[in-house]
Structure formats: structure tokens, C-alpha cells
Amino acid sequence: MKKIIAAAMLVASFALVSASAKTKVTEDVRVRIINHQNSATGGDMPDWVKATREGSTRKIAKALDIDYKDNHLFVVIGEGPNKEFLKTWTRQVNGASQISQEFERVVAEVTQAEFEGKSDTEKASANEAAKIYSASMHNLVLNGLAKEAEYWVQQQILAPRYTSWKKMQKDLDKAQKKAKGAEINTKDYYTEEFVYYIVYSMDNDTYNRQLEAAMNDVADNSTESVLLKQSLTTKLQDALIPSRAIVDTPSDDE
């Protein structure tokens, strides 16, 4: 099982989200849901899943009856072509480890943004501090995480060469007619994947205490390290933090 953390929001872009985030990211029209966990019983997709796909942490908290002001929410998202392998992944995934890996990515992102255009000396100092912060975030245990909910969705993603599903379907119908029963490679028109969402919560006091302890592992021995600490603290407390775990699985015919 291979996990890759990427800096794109959701799910449709697997997102790790801070409950105090104000940013909302709407789902891209290139993605459409064709099946989900409640489909077999005729049920609707839960409101918290819809809110996750919208990037609204406030709505996630409300749907799960979690106090938005007193808790942080983290949504870990796994994607892959095989639902059963993803189910196994959700049982085995270490939420704290996934979140810590995401924090490492945030360190790199904030460092680059904060010191863009600065002198080589300032960048070198910031990068040294970033290495220590990255190691500190990697070792952050995050005790106190509680799993609140999980859910799977099956979706299709429009091929890059198309701007609408209508146009794609028209071309696909033509290709199938021309093929006269022969198999068509639908990946030229759309791709298909399963997405698993797992919601974790942690009360703010516990989260902030552990985050502060990790930050304090880095000495404030330069202007750059002080600035970096301030920016990281703000980012990890207030920002929407996207994360996706891509789960490589054997193909169905293996």
C-alpha cells in the first residue's frame, strides 16, 4: 500500500481540515458521483460528506454534532481503484501519522511562501529551521484523536481534453458505435475511483498543547526561525489543510 500526500483540495480533491478554517473550496464540475455507501438502500449521502467535498469545516462539525469552537476536525481521505483495498486501508490507517505527514508538507509550503524573494542567507537560515520543524512535526504523536465517521464514494473524473460531460458522452457514444462491440478504453474519456473519508476530532486545548510542544522543540535563534514559527502556528491552527492519500492496489485481473 503506497501513500502519497499531495497539496490539492478535495476530494475532489482527501482532505485534512482544521475546524477553525474559514476557506471554502467547491467541488470541481469535472467530478461526478456515480455511487456511494448509502446507494444500495436508497439513502442519501450524509451531510458531513457533502460538507467535506465543499471544504466547509463548520458544516462538517454541525452535521456530526461536534462543537465547532472547541474542537479541531481532521478529514483523512484515501483514493484508489479498488473499494475492498480501500476498506482495508481505512481499518489500518494511522490517523495521527497521516496528519503528521501533512504537517511536514505544510512546513515546506509555508517556508517557500514566507521567504520567496528573500536573500540567499535568509533562505538558508529558514531552510535550516524548516528541517528541524519538519522532523518535529514528523514525530508529533497527536494523542487524543477520536474517529467520528467514515464513508466511501465512487466517482468519475472527466478526461482533461473535455470541458463538459455532455461532449464527452457524445464522443464516447460515437466511438462505441464505430467499435461495433469491441472494447473501448474509457480512460480516454473519464477515469473512475473510490474515495474514502475518515473524520477525526480533537479538542482545541489538547491539540494546541501538543502543537506548541512540537514548535518549542525548535530554538528561536534567528529572525527567520521566529517568522517561520509564527507563520506555521497560524497555518496549522486556522487554515484549511488539504491532504490526499493515494492507495495503490492490484488491478482486478491480478
Side-chain angles (χ1 to χ4, degrees):
M1 219 176 262
K2 179 182 178 184
K3 303 179 183 67
I4 304 172
I5 303 302
M9 170 76 192
L10 235 140
V11 80
S13 273
F14 179 157
L16 163 65
V17 239
S18 160
S20 55
K22 304 298 189 300
T23 305
K24 290 186 179 181
V25 181
T26 56
E27 181 189 7
D28 196 301
V29 296
R30 303 184 67 83
V31 179
R32 66 181 181 185
I33 297 172
I34 59 172
N35 194 14
H36 59 88
Q37 194 166 312
N38 287 343
S39 293
T41 58
D44 195 8
M45 197 164 59
D47 289 340
W48 71 264
V49 178
K50 297 175 184 177
T52 300
R53 295 177 70 89
E54 294 172 2
S56 173
T57 53
R58 186 181 295 275
K59 289 182 180 179
I60 295 172
K62 182 178 180 180
L64 292 174
D65 197 24
I66 297 171
D67 191 312
Y68 180 80
K69 294 181 180 179
D70 293 338
N71 292 273
H72 266 67
L73 299 185
F74 305 96
V75 183
V76 176
I77 304 169
E79 299 176 340
N82 188 298
K83 183 173 68 175
E84 295 308 312
F85 273 82
L86 276 173
K87 282 184 178 179
T88 301
W89 178 80
T90 61
R91 291 194 294 268
Q92 296 176 346
V93 66
N94 184 313
S97 176
Q98 288 287 314
I99 295 167
S100 295
Q101 289 181 55
E102 177 63 14
F103 286 177
E104 291 181 72
R105 184 200 64 75
V106 172
V107 170
E109 180 186 90
V110 170
T111 303
Q112 180 177 357
E114 188 71 28
F115 294 94
E116 185 71 30
K118 300 292 184 179
S119 69
D120 290 342
T121 301
E122 290 172 316
K123 287 182 180 179
S125 179
N127 286 330
E128 286 302 311
K131 289 178 183 178
I132 304 174
Y133 276 121
S134 183
S136 183
M137 293 297 103
H138 177 78
N139 295 323
L140 183 58
V141 177
L142 283 181
N143 289 313
L145 279 176
K147 181 185 285 190
E148 300 288 353
E150 61 183 67
Y151 199 84
W152 65 263
V153 166
Q154 185 180 11
Q155 62 185 26
Q156 292 177 338
I157 302 96
L158 196 62
R161 64 193 179 108
Y162 289 106
T163 57
S164 74
W165 289 96
K166 184 177 181 179
K167 171 61 175 171
M168 180 280 294
Q169 191 61 55
K170 184 177 181 180
D171 285 357
L172 179 57
D173 290 343
K174 286 182 179 179
Q176 290 174 330
K177 184 177 181 179
K178 186 176 181 180
K180 297 180 180 180
E183 186 175 352
I184 294 291
N185 184 4
T186 57
K187 289 185 178 180
D188 292 335
Y189 303 89
Y190 64 86
T191 54
E192 198 165 288
E193 66 182 5
F194 289 90
V195 184
Y196 253 93
Y197 303 89
I198 313 172
V199 178
Y200 296 91
S201 70
M202 179 184 291
D203 72 86
N204 281 334
D205 289 342
T206 301
Y207 174 67
N208 289 332
R209 185 167 59 250
Q210 294 179 79
L211 183 60
E212 182 179 1
M215 289 292 187
N216 287 339
D217 283 346
V218 184
D220 295 332
N221 54 9
S222 70
T223 301
E224 289 72 33
S225 62
V226 172
L227 290 173
L228 186 56
K229 177 178 286 189
Q230 292 172 347
S231 297
L232 280 174
T233 300
T234 299
K235 180 74 172 179
L236 294 175
Q237 287 179 336
D238 297 330
L240 179 66
I241 307 170
S243 167
R244 296 165 70 93
I246 311 302
V247 182
D248 283 352
T249 62
S251 61
D252 292 334
D253 56 357
E254 286 185 340

